[in-house]
Amino acid sequence: MIFPLADITIHEQGITQITPPGHCLVTGTGPDGILRFFLYDGPTPTDAGLCGSVVLPTPDQVIAGAPFTAHDPAGTRVSGKSQSPELMLAHLTELAATAAARDTP
């Protein structure tokens, strides 16, 4: 599922200690009602700059050991390298850079 900025209920946006360099982070609820970190390339979020998102499980899911999941800009689930949101965001950055390099002639 693709999430245009206009469809996200934004709770916070900016750069935090877990934001990969050169990117910004939006914490918000998508139209599916799920809280996520949305990662964007550049200093401000733009639809074209979306690198992907990390689903933030509810507290009861965290206690139960539910995994964090990541999705690419098209909404396809991405296998993560860890259960750390910070490392999952870095992984999305790597995937977006690889896709951009592949799409550049």
Side-chain angles (χ1 to χ4, degrees):
M1 175 179 262
I2 298 173
F3 297 105
L5 276 166
D7 293 344
I8 298 171
T9 301
I10 297 174
H11 304 294
E12 272 186 71
Q13 84 177 45
I15 297 170
T16 69
Q17 65 275 13
I18 67 168
T19 309
H23 293 75
C24 64
L25 198 60
V26 168
T27 305
T29 306
D32 58 359
I34 296 174
L35 183 63
R36 300 169 183 262
F37 284 139
F38 294 91
L39 182 66
Y40 295 89
D41 186 30
T44 57
T46 64
D47 287 333
L50 180 64
C51 294
S53 66
V54 175
V55 174
L56 301 174
T58 60
D60 60 324
Q61 291 173 321
V62 171
I63 291 169
F68 287 84
T69 57
H71 298 84
D72 69 13
T76 304
R77 188 172 177 165
V78 174
S79 59
K81 291 187 173 183
S82 87
Q83 277 302 95
S84 159
E86 180 176 4
L87 293 177
M88 292 179 88
L89 291 168
H91 184 56
L92 287 173
T93 301
E94 293 168 3
L95 293 173
T98 300
R102 187 177 49 241
D103 292 342
T104 304

